[in-house]
Amino acid sequence: MGKNLVIVVLAAALVWCSWLLTRESEISARPPGRDDPHRELFDRVVADLPGVGVGFCLMDEKGTVVSQWNADQAMIPASSFKTLTTIAALDLLGPDFRFRTEVYFGGKTGDLVLRGGGDPTLSIEHLEELADEVVKAGITQIDGGVVGDGRLFPANMAGDFWGWGDVGNGYGSPTSGLNLEHNRFVAVFQPGEKVGEVAKLIEVSPELPGVDWLNEVRTGAAGSGDQVMIYGGPLATRIRMEGTVPLGKAFAVRGAAPNPPLFAAHHLHQALVRKGLSIRKEPRVVEAMEELPEGLPMIQRQSAPLSELLPGLHARSDNHETECLFQMLGVTVGRPAEQVLTDYWRERGVKNVRIVDGSGLSRADFISPQDLARVQIVAARGEHADIYRASLSSMSGGRIQLKGGAMSSVRTWTGYVEDGDGERHGFALMFNHYNDGSELNEWWDALLGEVMRSNY
């Protein structure tokens, strides 16, 4: 009888504890109470933006939520999501990490192999430097050809959830183990004399090997800007361009190079020929399952260190550079990149998150404002906090440091803001599913201004 009573009491205690934990979760998930310092402001925001998803979280350096609105609601983050990748890269790769590119001879084949190490910053100028080193090594003839090896990263060079309208345009360029010029090209059009006339494609730079062009671009109204869509995608051999360029002078748009390893091999081949080398075969790419003879690197090139890459990456919100870091995390740990990054953040208390790429280009990514603010607090406590904060954009005399994000019907910001007492807080402000974004900046200014005036 006594044992049964003890069991009943213990069971009741467990139920009570479970209820308390559930109750605590429910309370934290509710909209802010009347004592929240910014409740009145958000009441005005949602009244002014009916039907728009609005989320906000302000968190102190201890990780305590100071103010929030729908802070536990999963939302599309756009490019503020890049901070999850860059913070993890600083920790797992280190601020001194450098990408490496190697050149070596491929055994009996006589091929000169350009082996990529994932460097997103490799340029044609760098290939010229590599070609100079080949000449300095006394090589005058290549019996095979220049071979591009981009197999360090997965063969699928675009995110599974990237849009068809993204993968042909410059901001959606593919990610390979061997990259060149951010895997982008510039197409220059000469508009017609009248609106509606065909705009002539007059130049593509750098040259893209193995591509046919289907130009359906026409002349638009003066001042209409870039209204061109480029449809290609990884390994495409035909690129279609449609839309309009404005009436007037020649107009340039950016597209994505569909085959990065061939793109790089082609331009190294051209550089070597310009320097007088005889090359018997045309450039080609190492296929994913091909067994290529290994060779010792004859020439190596290193990128700038990660700590120097981050400010430009954040300022330009560069998808390609971020995706290369994302994939390098997978290579370094030895697991798929999305799994590495998900595990990294869940181990640090970030739970309401889905990671399908490293840049936030996919609309399938999501995170709650509370977890995005928590990401910033984790970074602030980390070994490389100063490097990370210095890489963010700065406003209001340094009192706001942030990374923003934008895509169709999505605007987000995350980073740090100082209150009236000079205390630094992590924050995330997110807007989803709006039709007119002109009012969002006004609410952004109002909220951050109020935070800076507050004394918590």
Side-chain angles (χ1 to χ4, degrees):
M1 179 70 177
K3 289 182 178 179
N4 289 338
L5 180 60
V6 169
I7 291 172
V8 170
V9 171
L10 288 174
L14 287 172
V15 170
W16 175 254
C17 290
S18 176
W19 181 86
L20 284 176
L21 289 172
T22 302
R23 179 71 170 168
E24 181 180 350
S25 175
E26 289 175 351
I27 291 171
S28 66
R30 290 176 179 172
R34 284 295 164 189
D35 58 342
D36 187 284
H38 308 304
R39 174 62 187 256
E40 183 179 344
L41 176 61
F42 276 104
D43 283 340
R44 299 201 308 271
V45 172
V46 298
D48 192 46
L49 304 172
V52 175
V54 181
F56 173 69
C57 185
L58 186 70
M59 188 176 288
D60 68 20
E61 293 180 340
K62 297 179 181 179
T64 301
V65 174
V66 174
S67 176
Q68 62 99 7
W69 182 276
N70 290 337
D72 63 336
Q73 178 66 51
M75 303 183 75
I76 301 170
S79 283
S80 63
F81 209 56
K82 288 178 170 65
T83 61
L84 277 74
T85 298
T86 55
I87 293 166
L90 277 172
D91 190 14
L92 298 179
L93 302 178
D96 297 326
F97 169 80
R98 297 172 184 260
F99 294 95
R100 296 187 180 188
T101 304
E102 300 174 340
V103 175
Y104 71 93
F105 272 109
K108 296 180 181 180
T109 64
D111 291 325
L112 186 74
V113 180
L114 179 63
R115 180 163 53 196
D119 187 356
T121 67
L122 192 69
S123 68
I124 288 179
E125 181 180 351
H126 298 146
L127 292 187
E128 292 285 347
E129 294 170 359
L130 291 175
D132 285 336
E133 293 299 318
V134 172
V135 172
K136 289 178 183 177
I139 298 169
T140 59
Q141 178 175 315
I142 297 173
D143 292 331
V146 177
V147 178
D149 185 353
R151 296 176 298 173
L152 181 67
F153 292 166
N156 187 4
M157 294 183 287
D160 288 342
F161 295 91
W162 290 6
W164 173 234
D166 295 329
V167 296
N169 292 278
Y171 63 85
S173 60
T175 304
S176 169
L178 177 58
N179 309 290
L180 180 66
E181 298 289 349
H182 289 76
N183 300 334
R184 296 171 190 149
F185 65 87
V186 175
V188 181
F189 295 89
Q190 180 59 57
E193 294 183 0
K194 298 178 181 179
V195 172
E197 290 185 351
V198 172
K200 184 179 179 181
L201 177 62
I202 58 175
E203 182 183 4
V204 173
S205 179
E207 180 184 4
L208 261 64
V211 169
D212 292 327
W213 301 94
L214 181 57
N215 176 28
E216 298 176 354
V217 176
R218 294 187 175 271
T219 305
S224 58
D226 180 359
Q227 302 298 321
V228 175
M229 290 296 295
I230 302 176
Y231 296 100
L235 303 182
T237 56
R238 168 170 275 200
I239 293 178
R240 183 170 67 88
M241 297 176 287
E242 66 175 35
T244 64
V245 295
L247 193 68
K249 61 183 180 181
F251 193 88
V253 301
R254 291 187 179 275
N259 192 333
L262 183 60
F263 187 38
H266 171 83
H267 283 282
L268 179 58
H269 175 105
Q270 298 287 78
L272 291 168
V273 169
R274 284 194 295 271
K275 297 180 190 304
L277 269 70
S278 171
I279 305 177
R280 180 171 298 178
K281 298 181 181 179
E282 292 298 308
R284 69 178 184 89
V285 170
V286 182
E287 301 299 333
M289 304 301 292
E290 182 179 349
E291 292 186 6
L292 189 70
E294 290 293 323
L296 295 175
M298 179 177 68
I299 302 165
Q300 289 189 356
R301 184 195 178 277
Q302 296 188 23
S303 72
L306 178 58
S307 59
E308 294 181 16
L309 295 179
L310 287 189
L313 181 158
H314 282 150
R316 295 187 303 274
S317 203
D318 197 293
N319 294 321
H320 177 69
E321 292 181 16
T322 313
E323 291 297 327
C324 285
L325 278 179
F326 177 65
Q327 294 298 344
M328 186 56 71
L329 291 174
V331 170
T332 302
V333 177
R335 287 182 290 152
E338 59 271 21
Q339 181 182 345
V340 171
L341 199 59
T342 298
D343 290 347
Y344 178 90
W345 285 111
R346 286 186 174 165
E347 288 168 4
R348 288 155 179 80
V350 175
K351 306 295 185 182
N352 196 358
V353 63
R354 184 192 187 197
I355 298 172
V356 301
D357 65 16
S359 62
L361 182 57
S362 171
R363 299 182 79 91
D365 293 315
F366 66 68
I367 191 170
S368 69
Q370 180 168 305
D371 277 327
L372 189 53
R374 182 176 286 112
V375 165
Q376 309 309 312
I377 296 302
V378 169
R381 295 171 177 169
E383 179 183 359
H384 308 299
D386 291 343
I387 295 174
Y388 171 68
R389 282 200 301 268
S391 73
L392 300 175
S393 298
S394 182
M395 300 170 58
S396 299
R399 293 186 64 190
I400 301 175
Q401 296 166 301
L402 63 103
K403 173 72 187 80
M407 60 170 59
S408 178
S409 296
V410 175
R411 289 291 302 276
T412 64
W413 299 268
T414 191
Y416 306 98
V417 58
E418 288 185 7
D419 66 15
D421 290 331
E423 295 293 326
R424 183 185 294 118
H425 293 65
F427 79 92
L429 175 61
M430 309 177 77
F431 295 95
N432 280 190
H433 314 305
Y434 57 84
N435 288 320
D436 181 2
S438 61
E439 298 175 313
L440 300 187
N441 286 337
E442 178 182 337
W443 287 118
W444 150 262
D445 291 339
L447 177 64
L448 270 296
E450 186 169 314
V451 169
M452 288 190 293
R453 289 190 296 271
S454 300
N455 299 301
Y456 298 105

